Amino acid sequence: MLLDTASLYFRAFFGVPDSVTSPRGEPVNAVRGLLDFIARLVGDYSPTHLACCWDEDWRPQWRVDLLPSYKAHRVVEEVTGDPDVEEVPDPLQVQVPVILEVLEALGIAVVGAAGYEADDVIGTLATDAGMPVDVVTGDRDLFQLVDDASGVRVLYTARGVGRHEQVTDEWVVGKYSVLPSQYADFATLRGDSSDGLPGVAGVGEKTAASLLLRYGDLDAVRAAAADADSELAPAPRRKIREAAAYLDVAPQVVAVVRDLDLGATDLTLPRTPADRGAFDALTERWGLGSSADRVLAALGG
């Protein structure tokens, strides 16, 4: 089980009342919400391995260099030589270090890679994992990893962790009329405002899906647009050709990296906390109460 950790703690922050505080009155709704999510997911799916995948760089410079609009609307401060500062509510920002401390005390692996997003870590760990993989996220970008043959599915939390959907090949085809292997090309054509991905002007979901259904992938679509003898209609032909500069770079931005060197990390799900004393101290200090009890019970099986 691979967790898109930021996706989950953002959801916890906005879904758990801000009246949930520590004994000193500090916000802990994201901390407790994330622990509750982990407890529920582990309890429901009984994974043998678990990784909290981390954004070491939520907006990698190499992606920005290719497409400057990438996530630009979320930037509150540009930082030379370091990741830009993302727009994150202050009451959430102060909880992130606590989340890391709690995960460390539990012994749950936190996996990141300098210069890359959690999506890329997930893509790497999900590829050739040698076992079935559940990716837990509210991010549609990761639908490109779904592969029934390899046992990779997405537990899609857009409607909430308790109401998540199990995304399989059939689900993606039913929802978007493309295969998961075509999803990255589909997203490139359609665009995604949440990531600052403009897409091809005038090409929406239906047109993007129909083009990929007919031609198979983006390269073939572009080849048809360039071929005067192809049967591609004039309107989509013109739109694809006019978007050439965007289409030259966007596929590299959208594609999840699958071959990072993450080193040797033990992702085995801990059955007891790695440091029970530290976990108990954190539970008392931050008032984690029943959330701590639930995650311990889930880990213990």
Side-chain angles (χ1 to χ4, degrees):
M1 180 170 280
L2 305 175
L3 307 185
D4 182 359
T5 316
S7 171
L8 291 175
Y9 67 60
F10 265 91
R11 176 163 292 280
F13 176 76
F14 288 107
V16 178
D18 57 12
S19 57
V20 176
T21 60
S22 74
R24 303 181 189 181
E26 301 136 312
V28 290
N29 53 341
V31 183
R32 293 196 59 166
L34 179 63
L35 288 178
D36 287 341
F37 291 164
I38 291 173
R40 180 164 193 157
L41 290 162
V42 169
D44 287 351
Y45 289 96
S46 302
T48 57
H49 297 73
L50 179 70
C52 283
C53 300
W54 206 261
D55 285 315
E56 292 295 338
D57 191 336
W58 68 281
R59 187 177 184 246
Q61 188 60 47
W62 61 271
R63 282 191 165 108
V64 176
D65 289 343
L66 290 166
L67 191 66
S69 65
Y70 183 65
K71 295 185 178 179
H73 59 295
R74 302 191 211 170
V75 176
V76 293
E77 181 184 352
E78 293 187 357
V79 182
T80 302
D82 284 303
D84 293 332
V85 178
E86 184 179 11
E87 184 177 10
V88 178
D90 288 343
L92 171 56
Q93 190 66 57
V94 297
Q95 296 182 64
V96 174
V98 182
I99 288 171
L100 283 168
E101 285 187 273
V102 171
L103 293 174
E104 181 181 7
L106 284 170
I108 293 175
V110 175
V111 186
Y116 291 91
E117 301 175 55
D119 286 9
D120 303 311
V121 174
I122 290 169
T124 297
L125 292 174
T127 300
D128 300 324
M131 65 181 77
V133 176
D134 281 335
V135 175
V136 185
T137 184
D139 186 350
R140 296 183 297 176
D141 292 347
L142 292 171
F143 293 169
Q144 64 188 272
L145 299 176
V146 171
D147 184 352
D148 286 1
S150 299
V152 179
R153 64 182 176 181
V154 166
L155 306 182
Y156 186 45
T157 61
R159 296 193 301 171
V161 172
R163 301 173 61 209
H164 68 264
E165 299 173 87
Q166 296 181 357
V167 178
T168 60
D169 289 6
E170 182 180 9
W171 190 99
V172 175
V173 172
K175 179 75 171 176
Y176 298 109
S177 301
V178 297
L179 295 168
S181 60
Q182 297 172 307
Y183 188 84
D185 286 346
F186 172 74
T188 297
L189 287 165
R190 176 202 63 197
D192 190 337
S193 60
S194 67
D195 281 339
L197 198 68
V200 175
V203 173
E205 288 196 355
K206 289 185 178 180
T207 301
S210 67
L211 289 171
L212 292 169
L213 178 64
R214 184 172 186 178
Y215 294 103
D217 61 26
L218 181 56
D219 286 343
V221 171
R222 297 191 70 186
D227 180 2
D229 295 327
S230 77
E231 296 180 358
L232 184 61
R237 180 190 299 272
R238 174 180 52 80
K239 291 169 184 175
I240 295 297
R241 294 179 70 170
E242 288 177 350
Y246 163 75
L247 293 174
D248 284 344
V249 298
Q252 297 166 260
V253 175
V254 175
V256 170
V257 178
R258 303 184 189 219
D259 59 355
L260 296 177
D261 181 2
L262 298 175
T265 304
D266 185 5
L267 306 183
T268 304
L269 182 75
R271 291 304 176 185
T272 58
D275 188 334
R276 183 58 189 259
F279 183 73
D280 289 346
L282 288 165
T283 297
E284 181 177 359
R285 163 66 181 84
W286 295 102
L288 303 182
S290 58
S291 299
D293 294 339
R294 279 190 285 271
V295 80
L296 290 177
L299 294 179

